[in-house]
Amino acid sequence: MNTTLQTPAETGPEIGAGSGSEVGRAKRLKAATTQAHDQLDKRIMAGEPFAALANYGRFLAVQHAFHRDIDALYDDPAIAALVPDLAERRRFAQIGQDLADLSLAPAEQTEAPRFAGGEIDVPTALGWLYVAEGSNLGAAFLFKMARALGLDENHGARHLAGHPDGRAQHWRSFTGALDEVALDEAEEMRVIEGANAAFRRVHGLVEQQYG
C-alpha cells in the first residue's frame, strides 16, 4: 500500500532515460530508495491516518511540515528550467487550506524549512521533489479513504486530489524531465541522497505526530 508521502513502490508508471542510459534515473531512484520507502509506508499506515478525523489531522500536520520544507523549491529558476509546470506542482497552500477546513492550525515548527534562503543544490532538490511528486501519484487510494471521512477536493482533502491531466500523465511528465537532466556521478549520488533524506524527514515527522 502506498501512502501519499511516498513514491509509488510497485505500481507507479516510469519511463526510461532520455540521456542514453539503459535505466532511467527515476527507476534508479526507485531501486535506491525501496528500503526507506517500505519502512515509511509501514510506519504511516500503522498510525491509521484515515481511521478518524483526529488521525487525519495528524496526517495533515506531517504533510504540512514536509511541504513547508520544500516550498521554496517551486520558486527556484534553475529547477523550473528542468521540470515542466513546476509552480503547478506546489501543494503547500492546499494543505494549509485543508487544515483550515478542519479548524486545525499547522504544527509549530522551531526549525527553518529544509530549503529556505541561500543557494539550492539542484541535484539534492531533485531527490526531494521525486518523493513529493511520487506521493501525488500514490495519493489516489488515500483520496478514496478521505472521501469516507466526508472530505473531498473542495474540503479537507484538496491536496490529495488528482491533476486535471491525470495522475499518471502528471507523473510521467515529471519523471521524463528528471531522466533528461544531465548530471555527473557525484551529482547522481546527491539526487539519491536527497530522496533518502526526504524519506527520513517524513519518517521523523510521522514519529512526532503518531509516536
Side-chain angles (χ1 to χ4, degrees), residues 25 87 116 129 152 157 170 178 185:
R25 181 172 293 116
L129 287 173
D152 58 28
H170 204 49
L178 182 64
E185 185 175 351

Side-chain angles (χ1 to χ4, degrees), residues 9 12-13 17 33-35 66 70 104-105 110 126 153 157-158 169 182 202 205:
T33 59
T34 294
Q35 182 177 0
F66 175 69
I70 64 173
L104 296 173
T110 59
L126 290 174
E153 65 275 15
R158 304 166 193 271
Q169 179 57 40
V202 177
L205 291 169

Side-chain angles (χ1 to χ4, degrees), residues 174-186:
F174 174 78
T175 55
L178 182 64
D179 286 346
E180 292 292 340
V181 178
L183 299 174
D184 61 29
E185 185 175 351

